[in-house]
Amino acid sequence: MTRQEATHTQRIPLNRDRVLRAAVALADATGIDALSMRRLAQELDVVPMALYKHVANKEELLDGMADAVVGEIDPPATGPDWQRVVRARILSARRVLLRHPWAAQVIESRTAPTPAVLAYLDSMAGSFREGGLSADLTHHVMHAMGSRLLGFSQELFDTSGPSGPPDPGLAARYPHIAELAATAAHDEGSTVGGGCDDQFEFEFALDLLLDGFEGLRRQGWTSARAKVSRRP
C-alpha cells in the first residue's frame, strides 16, 4: 500500500459495516480461529477499543459476520416452479459458503438465529408456501432440510483426512463402511468444512428432498393423517 493509499484509508471513518467487512475478509484469509479483536484492530489500523464502539464483543462481531455472509445470498427468483426457485436459492447460499468456508461453523455456533438468518429462513418458508405447500407441510420441510437451506450439510464422518486404502483392521471390523469409502469419489476443493459434503452429494440429497416434498404436496399430506397411520 502506498503512503497516499494509507492516508486515504486512515481518513475513512470506522463504522459497523467497515468493521464487519474487514472481519469477513480477515476470516477468509486466515481462518476463523485466527480472528481476534486485536488482530482485527491491527488490520484496520485502529486501537482495539475503537472496535467496541461498533460491536460490543467477539460474539456480536460473529453475529454480524454471519449476517454479512447471509446477505450475499441471491434473492429468490420468481416463477411458477417452486422447486426450481428453492433449488436456485439454496445453491446460491452454497456458493456463498464456498467463498467463506468458515461461515458454516459460525452460523452453527450462534445460540439464536441472527436477524439476516431469520429473514432468509422466513423468505424460504415463503417460497414453499407460494409453491402450494401447506403451513403444516412447510413446517416439517424446514426441519427436514435443516442446514441444507443455508447451503451446507452436517456429515456423519469426517473424510477430509489423507486418502488411500482403508486400514485392513478397520476394514475387517467395519466392512460396509470400508466398502463405501472405497467407492466414494468426491470433488477436490468443494467441501464446506470437513467431511464429504461435496457438490454432487449436496445436490443429490437436495433434489431427492425436493422431489419428495413435491410428492407429499400432491398427495395433500398432513402431519395429523401421518400420525394416525403410524399408530399401532
Side-chain angles (χ1 to χ4, degrees), residues 1 6 9-10 14 18-19 22-23 25-26 30 34-52 61:
M1 180 182 293
T9 300
Q10 292 171 2
L14 195 65
R18 186 179 167 212
V19 168
L26 185 58
T30 65
L35 177 69
S36 68
M37 299 296 276
R38 183 174 297 278
R39 179 75 184 274
L40 180 58
Q42 291 174 347
E43 194 73 15
L44 289 164
D45 196 23
V46 298
V47 296
M49 287 304 297
L51 298 179
Y52 293 100
L61 175 67

Side-chain angles (χ1 to χ4, degrees), residues 154-163 177 181 186 191-197:
Q154 296 173 312
E155 293 295 323
L156 286 173
F157 305 105
D158 183 355
T159 58
S160 57
S163 59
I177 295 296
H186 302 294
T191 302
V192 178
C196 61
D197 174 23

Side-chain angles (χ1 to χ4, degrees), residues 49-205:
M49 287 304 297
L51 298 179
Y52 293 100
K53 296 179 181 178
H54 308 285
V55 287
N57 49 45
K58 176 75 174 291
E59 289 304 304
E60 187 174 309
L61 175 67
L62 293 174
D63 284 347
M65 292 170 66
D67 276 353
V69 168
V70 171
E72 296 179 20
I73 300 172
D74 291 339
T78 57
D81 186 342
W82 74 266
Q83 287 180 258
R84 185 181 297 275
V85 169
V86 168
R87 189 180 194 276
R89 190 95 185 278
I90 290 174
L91 292 182
S92 171
R94 183 168 179 81
R95 288 191 296 273
V96 169
L97 289 195
L98 287 171
R99 292 199 299 267
H100 309 289
W102 50 269
Q105 176 187 338
V106 169
I107 291 170
E108 287 186 306
S109 71
R110 302 301 84 204
T111 55
T114 59
V117 171
L118 278 174
Y120 174 79
L121 295 177
D122 182 77
S123 176
M124 292 300 294
S127 293
F128 288 121
R129 296 288 285 122
E130 290 169 11
L133 279 67
S134 67
D136 179 27
L137 179 54
T138 297
H139 170 88
H140 294 283
V141 162
M142 298 287 282
H143 279 290
M145 290 292 290
S147 66
R148 289 185 191 279
L149 286 168
L150 285 158
F152 67 98
S153 59
Q154 296 173 312
E155 293 295 323
L156 286 173
F157 305 105
D158 183 355
T159 58
S160 57
S163 59
D167 178 88
L170 291 176
R173 276 181 287 170
Y174 311 110
H176 299 300
I177 295 296
E179 179 187 36
L180 295 180
T183 58
H186 302 294
D187 300 333
E188 292 295 328
S190 67
T191 302
V192 178
C196 61
D197 174 23
D198 70 14
Q199 193 69 24
F200 180 83
E201 301 291 0
F202 185 87
E203 294 191 39
F204 172 80

